[in-house]
Amino acid sequence: MQILAIETSCDETAVALVKAKKGVFFAVDEYISSQTKIHSPFGGVVPNLAAREHLKNLPILLKKIIAKNKIRRKDIDLIAVTEGPGLIPALLIGTNAAKALAYAWQKPLVGANHIAGHVYANFIGAISKQIQKSKFKNQNSSIEFPILALIVSGGHTELILMKKHMNFNIIGQTLDDAAGEAFDKAAKILGLGYPGGPEVSSLAEKYKKQKTRYKIQDTKYRLPRPMLNSPNFNFSFSGLKTALLYTVRDNPKILRSKRLTGEICAEFQQAVIDVLLHKTLSAAKKFKPKTILLGGGVSANKELRKQLRKKIKNEIPDTKYQLPDTKYSLDNAAMIAVAGHFKFRSVKNKKIFRDNWKKMEADASLKLS
Ligand code: KG4
Ligand code: ZN
């Protein structure tokens, strides 16, 4: 089965051509146009600006992927698009284009949930250029149900238990800011660029190297680990951001010194990681999943990837640990193709997908179901 997928939920315009064979998925080709530079001066994504950029870039990317892969109507079995959650002006551009394409080609159209996409990013077997070499080697045989997925992105922080495909049980979530949002706000407070996650983590990494090299003592700027001991699997990151704001206000030299900025970045990153790890491990001990999956933009964070691996190995060594390729941690269309595929498979009455070209709606706060 070949799936053509579109993602426009936030500030990346993305298209992908994904091949599914025996439950293994390969991105045959894919293109992403990032709007980071456009939104950067505003310190966050401006929805109408994002929509305008999607409108400009999506036809170009679609034309490119169709031309480069000589896609004809008969080559495509399914069209998948993000129907939510996300920014409504942005979602409307992708869903509208997908509906037009599904109508023109008379193909089934499936609306995928963006969060499900981040979970299913873990099922993408190989990237474009490796396809000829690796053929259809099953790289996903290591993912076994039940799965506990920690999805950490700019808009979401969720712990999801899955007994089987397309069965999502949210056992914990953030009560305020998402983990990625916290990184973005921290970067803003520290006068760093947008998106904040990569900026904060790169300064934290530099500082940690210096710390070992010059045997620097532990930080005196201690930040809280919110809800670490709450008797549930929920998260809260807005207090951590406020604590950072007050620390910087009371110690203005942090902003003047690269080393001190790095020091506070390392402490902030570690506070987020400590909470994520503690809640994930507690949930894993209670629900005993066979696999723990990580997904969403924050899952590109090297320290989070490394520390979660170590903790699982030390505390629950029989549990498998699955990570997406870092390029699939961030928003992309290949993950939408895979999530769309599983949704298509899970519904018996395929007629609804044939009718979707006229019926599908975008939903900014679409729930996982
Ligand atoms: O999943 P994603 O691309 O978009 C949403 O669905 O929101 O996630 C974007 C978020 C941003 O908040 C960004 O700061 C964060 O992921 N992020 C990171 C890293 N790379 C991206 N956070 C921490 N460390 C990183 N290396
Ligand atoms: Zn995302």
CSV table of all heavy atoms in Angstrom, one decimal, residues 75-134:
chain,number,residue,atom,x,y,z
A,75,ASP,N,-0.9,4.9,-8.5
A,75,ASP,CA,0.1,4.5,-7.5
A,75,ASP,C,-0.3,4.7,-6.1
A,75,ASP,O,0.4,4.2,-5.1
A,75,ASP,CB,1.4,5.3,-7.8
A,75,ASP,CG,2.0,5.1,-9.2
A,75,ASP,OD1,1.8,4.0,-9.7
A,75,ASP,OD2,2.5,6.1,-9.7
A,76,ILE,N,-1.3,5.5,-5.9
A,76,ILE,CA,-1.7,5.9,-4.5
A,76,ILE,C,-2.9,5.1,-4.1
A,76,ILE,O,-3.9,5.1,-4.8
A,76,ILE,CB,-1.9,7.4,-4.4
A,76,ILE,CG1,-0.7,8.2,-4.8
A,76,ILE,CG2,-2.4,7.8,-3.0
A,76,ILE,CD1,0.5,8.0,-3.9
A,77,ASP,N,-2.8,4.5,-2.8
A,77,ASP,CA,-3.9,3.7,-2.3
A,77,ASP,C,-4.7,4.5,-1.3
A,77,ASP,O,-5.9,4.2,-1.0
A,77,ASP,CB,-3.4,2.4,-1.7
A,77,ASP,CG,-2.6,1.6,-2.7
A,77,ASP,OD1,-3.2,1.2,-3.7
A,77,ASP,OD2,-1.4,1.5,-2.5
A,78,LEU,N,-4.0,5.5,-0.6
A,78,LEU,CA,-4.7,6.2,0.5
A,78,LEU,C,-4.0,7.6,0.6
A,78,LEU,O,-2.8,7.7,0.5
A,78,LEU,CB,-4.4,5.4,1.8
A,78,LEU,CG,-5.0,5.9,3.1
A,78,LEU,CD1,-6.5,5.9,3.1
A,78,LEU,CD2,-4.5,5.1,4.3
A,79,ILE,N,-4.9,8.6,0.9
A,79,ILE,CA,-4.3,9.9,1.2
A,79,ILE,C,-4.6,10.1,2.7
A,79,ILE,O,-5.7,9.9,3.2
A,79,ILE,CB,-5.0,11.0,0.4
A,79,ILE,CG1,-4.7,10.7,-1.1
A,79,ILE,CG2,-4.6,12.4,0.8
A,79,ILE,CD1,-5.5,11.6,-2.1
A,80,ALA,N,-3.5,10.6,3.4
A,80,ALA,CA,-3.7,10.8,4.9
A,80,ALA,C,-3.3,12.3,5.2
A,80,ALA,O,-2.4,12.8,4.5
A,80,ALA,CB,-2.7,9.9,5.7
A,81,VAL,N,-4.1,12.9,6.1
A,81,VAL,CA,-3.8,14.3,6.4
A,81,VAL,C,-4.0,14.5,7.9
A,81,VAL,O,-4.9,13.8,8.5
A,81,VAL,CB,-4.7,15.2,5.6
A,81,VAL,CG1,-6.2,15.1,5.9
A,81,VAL,CG2,-4.3,16.7,5.8
A,82,THR,N,-3.3,15.4,8.6
A,82,THR,CA,-3.6,15.7,10.0
A,82,THR,C,-4.9,16.5,10.1
A,82,THR,O,-5.0,17.6,9.5
A,82,THR,CB,-2.4,16.6,10.5
A,82,THR,OG1,-1.2,16.0,10.2
A,82,THR,CG2,-2.5,16.8,12.0
A,83,GLU,N,-5.8,15.9,10.8
A,83,GLU,CA,-7.1,16.7,11.0
A,83,GLU,C,-7.1,17.4,12.3
A,83,GLU,O,-8.0,18.2,12.6
A,83,GLU,CB,-8.3,15.8,10.8
A,83,GLU,CG,-8.5,14.7,11.8
A,83,GLU,CD,-9.8,13.9,11.6
A,83,GLU,OE1,-10.7,14.4,10.9
A,83,GLU,OE2,-9.9,12.8,12.1
A,84,GLY,N,-6.2,17.2,13.2
A,84,GLY,CA,-6.1,17.9,14.5
A,84,GLY,C,-5.3,17.0,15.4
A,84,GLY,O,-4.9,15.9,15.1
A,85,PRO,N,-5.0,17.5,16.6
A,85,PRO,CA,-5.1,18.8,17.1
A,85,PRO,C,-4.0,19.7,16.5
A,85,PRO,O,-3.0,19.2,16.0
A,85,PRO,CB,-4.9,18.7,18.6
A,85,PRO,CG,-4.1,17.5,18.8
A,85,PRO,CD,-4.4,16.6,17.7
A,86,GLY,N,-4.3,21.0,16.6
A,86,GLY,CA,-3.3,22.0,16.0
A,86,GLY,C,-3.9,23.3,15.9
A,86,GLY,O,-5.0,23.6,16.4
A,87,LEU,N,-3.3,24.2,15.1
A,87,LEU,CA,-3.8,25.6,14.9
A,87,LEU,C,-4.8,25.5,13.8
A,87,LEU,O,-4.5,25.0,12.7
A,87,LEU,CB,-2.6,26.5,14.5
A,87,LEU,CG,-1.4,26.5,15.5
A,87,LEU,CD1,-0.3,27.2,14.8
A,87,LEU,CD2,-1.8,27.1,16.8
A,88,ILE,N,-6.0,26.0,14.0
A,88,ILE,CA,-7.1,25.8,13.0
A,88,ILE,C,-6.7,26.4,11.7
A,88,ILE,O,-6.9,25.7,10.6
A,88,ILE,CB,-8.5,26.1,13.6
A,88,ILE,CG1,-9.6,25.4,12.7
A,88,ILE,CG2,-8.8,27.6,13.6
A,88,ILE,CD1,-9.7,24.0,12.9
A,89,PRO,N,-6.2,27.6,11.6
A,89,PRO,CA,-5.9,28.2,10.2
A,89,PRO,C,-4.9,27.3,9.5
A,89,PRO,O,-5.0,27.1,8.3
A,89,PRO,CB,-5.3,29.6,10.5
A,89,PRO,CG,-5.7,29.9,11.9
A,89,PRO,CD,-5.8,28.6,12.7
A,90,ALA,N,-4.0,26.7,10.2
A,90,ALA,CA,-2.9,25.9,9.6
A,90,ALA,C,-3.5,24.5,9.2
A,90,ALA,O,-3.3,24.1,8.1
A,90,ALA,CB,-1.8,25.7,10.6
A,91,LEU,N,-4.3,23.9,10.0
A,91,LEU,CA,-4.9,22.6,9.7
A,91,LEU,C,-5.8,22.7,8.5
A,91,LEU,O,-5.9,21.8,7.7
A,91,LEU,CB,-5.8,22.2,10.9
A,91,LEU,CG,-5.1,21.7,12.1
A,91,LEU,CD1,-6.0,21.6,13.3
A,91,LEU,CD2,-4.4,20.3,11.9
A,92,LEU,N,-6.5,23.9,8.4
A,92,LEU,CA,-7.5,24.0,7.2
A,92,LEU,C,-6.8,23.9,5.9
A,92,LEU,O,-7.3,23.4,4.9
A,92,LEU,CB,-8.3,25.3,7.4
A,92,LEU,CG,-9.3,25.4,8.5
A,92,LEU,CD1,-9.9,26.8,8.6
A,92,LEU,CD2,-10.5,24.4,8.1
A,93,ILE,N,-5.6,24.4,5.8
A,93,ILE,CA,-4.8,24.4,4.5
A,93,ILE,C,-4.5,23.0,4.1
A,93,ILE,O,-4.8,22.6,3.0
A,93,ILE,CB,-3.5,25.2,4.6
A,93,ILE,CG1,-3.7,26.6,5.2
A,93,ILE,CG2,-2.8,25.2,3.3
A,93,ILE,CD1,-4.6,27.5,4.3
A,94,GLY,N,-4.0,22.2,5.1
A,94,GLY,CA,-3.7,20.8,4.7
A,94,GLY,C,-4.9,19.9,4.4
A,94,GLY,O,-4.9,19.2,3.4
A,95,THR,N,-6.0,20.1,5.3
A,95,THR,CA,-7.2,19.2,5.1
A,95,THR,C,-7.8,19.6,3.7
A,95,THR,O,-8.3,18.7,3.0
A,95,THR,CB,-8.2,19.4,6.2
A,95,THR,OG1,-8.3,20.7,6.5
A,95,THR,CG2,-7.7,18.7,7.5
A,96,ASN,N,-7.9,20.9,3.4
A,96,ASN,CA,-8.5,21.3,2.2
A,96,ASN,C,-7.8,20.8,1.0
A,96,ASN,O,-8.4,20.3,0.0
A,96,ASN,CB,-8.6,22.9,2.1
A,96,ASN,CG,-9.7,23.3,1.2
A,96,ASN,OD1,-10.7,22.6,1.0
A,96,ASN,ND2,-9.5,24.5,0.7
A,97,ALA,N,-6.4,20.8,1.0
A,97,ALA,CA,-5.6,20.3,-0.1
A,97,ALA,C,-5.9,18.8,-0.3
A,97,ALA,O,-6.0,18.3,-1.4
A,97,ALA,CB,-4.2,20.6,0.1
A,98,ALA,N,-5.9,18.1,0.9
A,98,ALA,CA,-6.1,16.6,0.9
A,98,ALA,C,-7.5,16.3,0.3
A,98,ALA,O,-7.6,15.3,-0.4
A,98,ALA,CB,-5.9,16.1,2.3
A,99,LYS,N,-8.4,17.1,0.7
A,99,LYS,CA,-9.8,16.8,0.2
A,99,LYS,C,-9.9,17.0,-1.3
A,99,LYS,O,-10.5,16.2,-2.0
A,99,LYS,CB,-10.8,17.7,0.9
A,99,LYS,CG,-11.1,17.3,2.3
A,99,LYS,CD,-11.8,18.3,3.1
A,99,LYS,CE,-13.3,18.2,2.9
A,99,LYS,NZ,-14.1,19.0,3.9
A,100,ALA,N,-9.2,18.0,-1.8
A,100,ALA,CA,-9.2,18.3,-3.3
A,100,ALA,C,-8.6,17.2,-4.0
A,100,ALA,O,-9.1,16.7,-5.0
A,100,ALA,CB,-8.5,19.6,-3.5
A,101,LEU,N,-7.4,16.7,-3.5
A,101,LEU,CA,-6.7,15.6,-4.1
A,101,LEU,C,-7.5,14.3,-4.1
A,101,LEU,O,-7.5,13.6,-5.1
A,101,LEU,CB,-5.4,15.5,-3.3
A,101,LEU,CG,-4.1,14.9,-4.0
A,101,LEU,CD1,-3.9,15.7,-5.3
A,101,LEU,CD2,-2.9,15.0,-3.1
A,102,ALA,N,-8.1,14.0,-2.9
A,102,ALA,CA,-8.9,12.8,-2.8
A,102,ALA,C,-10.1,12.8,-3.8
A,102,ALA,O,-10.4,11.8,-4.4
A,102,ALA,CB,-9.4,12.7,-1.4
A,103,TYR,N,-10.6,14.0,-4.0
A,103,TYR,CA,-11.8,14.1,-4.9
A,103,TYR,C,-11.3,13.9,-6.4
A,103,TYR,O,-11.8,13.1,-7.2
A,103,TYR,CB,-12.5,15.5,-4.8
A,103,TYR,CG,-13.5,15.7,-5.9
A,103,TYR,CD1,-14.6,14.9,-5.9
A,103,TYR,CD2,-13.3,16.7,-6.8
A,103,TYR,CE1,-15.6,15.1,-6.9
A,103,TYR,CE2,-14.2,16.9,-7.8
A,103,TYR,CZ,-15.4,16.1,-7.9
A,103,TYR,OH,-16.3,16.3,-8.9
A,104,ALA,N,-10.2,14.6,-6.7
A,104,ALA,CA,-9.7,14.6,-8.1
A,104,ALA,C,-9.2,13.2,-8.4
A,104,ALA,O,-9.4,12.7,-9.6
A,104,ALA,CB,-8.5,15.6,-8.2
A,105,TRP,N,-8.6,12.5,-7.5
A,105,TRP,CA,-8.0,11.1,-7.8
A,105,TRP,C,-9.0,10.0,-7.4
A,105,TRP,O,-8.7,8.9,-7.6
A,105,TRP,CB,-6.7,10.9,-7.0
A,105,TRP,CG,-5.6,11.6,-7.6
A,105,TRP,CD1,-5.5,12.3,-8.8
A,105,TRP,CD2,-4.2,11.7,-7.1
A,105,TRP,NE1,-4.3,12.7,-9.1
A,105,TRP,CE2,-3.4,12.4,-8.0
A,105,TRP,CE3,-3.6,11.2,-5.9
A,105,TRP,CZ2,-2.1,12.6,-7.8
A,105,TRP,CZ3,-2.3,11.4,-5.7
A,105,TRP,CH2,-1.5,12.1,-6.7
A,106,GLN,N,-10.1,10.4,-6.7
A,106,GLN,CA,-11.1,9.4,-6.3
A,106,GLN,C,-10.4,8.4,-5.4
A,106,GLN,O,-10.5,7.2,-5.7
A,106,GLN,CB,-11.8,8.8,-7.5
A,106,GLN,CG,-12.8,9.7,-8.1
A,106,GLN,CD,-14.0,10.1,-7.2
A,106,GLN,OE1,-14.8,9.3,-6.8
A,106,GLN,NE2,-14.1,11.4,-6.8
A,107,LYS,N,-9.8,8.9,-4.3
A,107,LYS,CA,-9.1,8.0,-3.4
A,107,LYS,C,-9.6,8.1,-2.0
A,107,LYS,O,-10.2,9.1,-1.6
A,107,LYS,CB,-7.6,8.4,-3.3
A,107,LYS,CG,-6.8,8.2,-4.6
A,107,LYS,CD,-6.6,6.7,-5.0
A,107,LYS,CE,-6.0,6.6,-6.4
A,107,LYS,NZ,-5.9,5.2,-6.8
A,108,PRO,N,-9.5,7.0,-1.2
A,108,PRO,CA,-9.9,7.2,0.2
A,108,PRO,C,-9.1,8.2,0.9
A,108,PRO,O,-7.9,8.2,0.6
A,108,PRO,CB,-9.8,5.7,0.8
A,108,PRO,CG,-8.9,5.0,-0.2
A,108,PRO,CD,-9.0,5.7,-1.5
A,109,LEU,N,-9.7,8.9,1.8
A,109,LEU,CA,-9.0,9.9,2.6
A,109,LEU,C,-9.1,9.7,4.1
A,109,LEU,O,-10.3,9.5,4.5
A,109,LEU,CB,-9.5,11.3,2.2
A,109,LEU,CG,-9.1,12.5,3.1
A,109,LEU,CD1,-7.6,12.8,2.9
A,109,LEU,CD2,-9.9,13.8,2.6
A,110,VAL,N,-8.0,9.6,4.8
A,110,VAL,CA,-8.1,9.4,6.2
A,110,VAL,C,-7.5,10.6,7.0
A,110,VAL,O,-6.5,11.1,6.6
A,110,VAL,CB,-7.4,8.1,6.6
A,110,VAL,CG1,-6.0,8.0,6.2
A,110,VAL,CG2,-7.5,7.8,8.1
A,111,GLY,N,-8.3,11.0,8.0
A,111,GLY,CA,-7.8,12.1,8.9
A,111,GLY,C,-7.0,11.5,10.1
A,111,GLY,O,-7.6,10.7,10.8
A,112,ALA,N,-5.8,11.9,10.2
A,112,ALA,CA,-5.0,11.3,11.3
A,112,ALA,C,-4.9,12.3,12.5
A,112,ALA,O,-4.8,13.5,12.2
A,112,ALA,CB,-3.6,10.9,10.8
A,113,ASN,N,-4.8,11.8,13.7
A,113,ASN,CA,-4.6,12.6,14.9
A,113,ASN,C,-3.0,12.8,15.0
A,113,ASN,O,-2.2,11.9,14.9
A,113,ASN,CB,-5.1,11.8,16.1
A,113,ASN,CG,-4.9,12.7,17.4
A,113,ASN,OD1,-3.8,13.0,17.8
A,113,ASN,ND2,-6.1,13.0,18.0
A,114,HIS,N,-2.7,14.1,15.2
A,114,HIS,CA,-1.3,14.5,15.2
A,114,HIS,C,-0.5,13.8,16.4
A,114,HIS,O,0.6,13.3,16.2
A,114,HIS,CB,-1.2,16.0,15.4
A,114,HIS,CG,0.2,16.5,15.4
A,114,HIS,ND1,0.9,16.8,14.2
A,114,HIS,CD2,1.1,16.9,16.4
A,114,HIS,CE1,2.1,17.2,14.5
A,114,HIS,NE2,2.2,17.3,15.8
A,115,ILE,N,-1.2,13.6,17.5
A,115,ILE,CA,-0.5,12.9,18.6
A,115,ILE,C,-0.3,11.4,18.3
A,115,ILE,O,0.8,10.9,18.6
A,115,ILE,CB,-1.3,13.1,19.9
A,115,ILE,CG1,-1.7,14.5,20.2
A,115,ILE,CG2,-0.6,12.4,21.1
A,115,ILE,CD1,-0.5,15.4,20.4
A,116,ALA,N,-1.3,10.8,17.7
A,116,ALA,CA,-1.2,9.4,17.2
A,116,ALA,C,0.0,9.4,16.3
A,116,ALA,O,0.8,8.4,16.3
A,116,ALA,CB,-2.4,9.0,16.6
A,117,GLY,N,0.2,10.4,15.4
A,117,GLY,CA,1.3,10.5,14.5
A,117,GLY,C,2.6,10.4,15.3
A,117,GLY,O,3.5,9.7,14.9
A,118,HIS,N,2.7,11.2,16.4
A,118,HIS,CA,4.0,11.1,17.1
A,118,HIS,C,4.2,9.8,17.7
A,118,HIS,O,5.4,9.3,17.8
A,118,HIS,CB,4.0,12.2,18.2
A,118,HIS,CG,4.3,13.6,17.7
A,118,HIS,ND1,5.5,13.8,17.0
A,118,HIS,CD2,3.7,14.8,17.8
A,118,HIS,CE1,5.5,15.1,16.7
A,118,HIS,NE2,4.4,15.7,17.2
A,119,VAL,N,3.2,9.0,18.1
A,119,VAL,CA,3.4,7.7,18.6
A,119,VAL,C,3.9,6.8,17.4
A,119,VAL,O,4.9,6.1,17.5
A,119,VAL,CB,2.0,7.1,19.1
A,119,VAL,CG1,2.2,5.6,19.4
A,119,VAL,CG2,1.5,7.9,20.4
A,120,TYR,N,3.2,6.9,16.3
A,120,TYR,CA,3.5,6.0,15.1
A,120,TYR,C,4.8,6.4,14.4
A,120,TYR,O,5.2,5.7,13.5
A,120,TYR,CB,2.3,6.0,14.2
A,120,TYR,CG,1.2,5.0,14.7
A,120,TYR,CD1,0.0,5.4,15.2
A,120,TYR,CD2,1.5,3.6,14.8
A,120,TYR,CE1,-0.9,4.6,15.7
A,120,TYR,CE2,0.6,2.7,15.3
A,120,TYR,CZ,-0.6,3.2,15.8
A,120,TYR,OH,-1.5,2.3,16.3
A,121,ALA,N,5.4,7.5,14.8
A,121,ALA,CA,6.7,7.9,14.2
A,121,ALA,C,7.7,6.8,14.5
A,121,ALA,O,8.7,6.5,13.8
A,121,ALA,CB,7.2,9.2,14.8
A,122,ASN,N,7.4,6.1,15.6
A,122,ASN,CA,8.3,5.0,16.0
A,122,ASN,C,8.2,3.8,15.1
A,122,ASN,O,9.0,2.8,15.2
A,122,ASN,CB,7.9,4.5,17.5
A,122,ASN,CG,8.5,5.5,18.5
A,122,ASN,OD1,9.7,5.4,18.8
A,122,ASN,ND2,7.7,6.4,19.0
A,123,PHE,N,7.2,3.7,14.3
A,123,PHE,CA,7.0,2.6,13.4
A,123,PHE,C,7.6,2.8,12.0
A,123,PHE,O,7.5,1.9,11.1
A,123,PHE,CB,5.5,2.2,13.3
A,123,PHE,CG,5.0,1.6,14.5
A,123,PHE,CD1,4.7,2.4,15.6
A,123,PHE,CD2,4.7,0.2,14.6
A,123,PHE,CE1,4.2,1.8,16.8
A,123,PHE,CE2,4.2,-0.3,15.7
A,123,PHE,CZ,3.9,0.5,16.8
A,124,ILE,N,8.2,4.0,11.8
A,124,ILE,CA,8.8,4.2,10.4
A,124,ILE,C,10.1,3.4,10.4
A,124,ILE,O,11.0,3.7,11.2
A,124,ILE,CB,9.0,5.7,10.2
A,124,ILE,CG1,7.7,6.5,10.4
A,124,ILE,CG2,9.6,5.9,8.8
A,124,ILE,CD1,7.8,8.0,10.5
A,125,GLY,N,10.2,2.5,9.4
A,125,GLY,CA,11.3,1.6,9.4
A,125,GLY,C,12.6,2.1,8.9
A,125,GLY,O,13.6,1.8,9.4
A,126,ALA,N,12.6,2.9,7.8
A,126,ALA,CA,13.8,3.3,7.2
A,126,ALA,C,13.6,4.6,6.5
A,126,ALA,O,12.5,4.9,6.1
A,126,ALA,CB,14.3,2.3,6.2
A,127,ILE,N,14.6,5.4,6.3
A,127,ILE,CA,14.5,6.7,5.7
A,127,ILE,C,14.7,6.5,4.2
A,127,ILE,O,15.4,5.5,3.7
A,127,ILE,CB,15.3,7.8,6.3
A,127,ILE,CG1,16.8,7.3,6.4
A,127,ILE,CG2,14.8,8.2,7.6
A,127,ILE,CD1,17.7,8.4,6.8
A,128,SER,N,14.3,7.5,3.4
A,128,SER,CA,14.2,7.4,2.0
A,128,SER,C,15.4,6.7,1.3
A,128,SER,O,15.2,5.7,0.7
A,128,SER,CB,14.1,8.8,1.4
A,128,SER,OG,14.3,9.8,2.3
A,129,LYS,N,16.6,7.2,1.5
A,129,LYS,CA,17.7,6.7,0.7
A,129,LYS,C,18.1,5.3,1.1
A,129,LYS,O,18.8,4.6,0.3
A,129,LYS,CB,18.9,7.7,0.8
A,129,LYS,CG,18.5,9.0,0.2
A,129,LYS,CD,19.7,9.7,-0.4
A,129,LYS,CE,19.3,11.0,-1.1
A,129,LYS,NZ,18.7,12.0,-0.2
A,130,GLN,N,17.7,4.9,2.3
A,130,GLN,CA,18.1,3.5,2.7
A,130,GLN,C,17.2,2.4,2.1
A,130,GLN,O,17.5,1.3,2.2
A,130,GLN,CB,18.0,3.4,4.2
A,130,GLN,CG,19.0,4.2,4.9
A,130,GLN,CD,18.7,4.3,6.4
A,130,GLN,OE1,17.7,3.9,6.9
A,130,GLN,NE2,19.7,4.8,7.1
A,131,ILE,N,16.1,2.9,1.5
A,131,ILE,CA,15.1,1.9,1.1
A,131,ILE,C,15.7,0.8,0.1
A,131,ILE,O,15.4,-0.3,0.3
A,131,ILE,CB,13.9,2.6,0.5
A,131,ILE,CG1,12.8,1.6,0.3
A,131,ILE,CG2,14.2,3.3,-0.8
A,131,ILE,CD1,11.4,2.2,0.1
A,132,GLN,N,16.5,1.2,-0.9
A,132,GLN,CA,17.0,0.2,-1.8
A,132,GLN,C,17.9,-0.8,-1.1
A,132,GLN,O,17.8,-2.0,-1.4
A,132,GLN,CB,17.9,0.9,-2.9
A,132,GLN,CG,17.0,1.7,-3.9
A,132,GLN,CD,16.9,3.1,-3.4
A,132,GLN,OE1,17.3,3.5,-2.3
A,132,GLN,NE2,16.3,4.0,-4.2
A,133,LYS,N,18.7,-0.3,-0.1
A,133,LYS,CA,19.6,-1.2,0.6
A,133,LYS,C,18.9,-2.1,1.5
A,133,LYS,O,19.0,-3.3,1.6
A,133,LYS,CB,20.6,-0.4,1.3
A,133,LYS,CG,21.7,0.2,0.4
A,133,LYS,CD,22.7,0.9,1.3
A,133,LYS,CE,23.4,2.0,0.6
A,133,LYS,NZ,23.8,3.1,1.5
A,134,SER,N,18.0,-1.5,2.4
A,134,SER,CA,17.5,-2.3,3.5
A,134,SER,C,16.3,-3.1,3.1
A,134,SER,O,15.9,-4.0,3.9
A,134,SER,CB,17.2,-1.3,4.7
A,134,SER,OG,16.2,-0.4,4.2
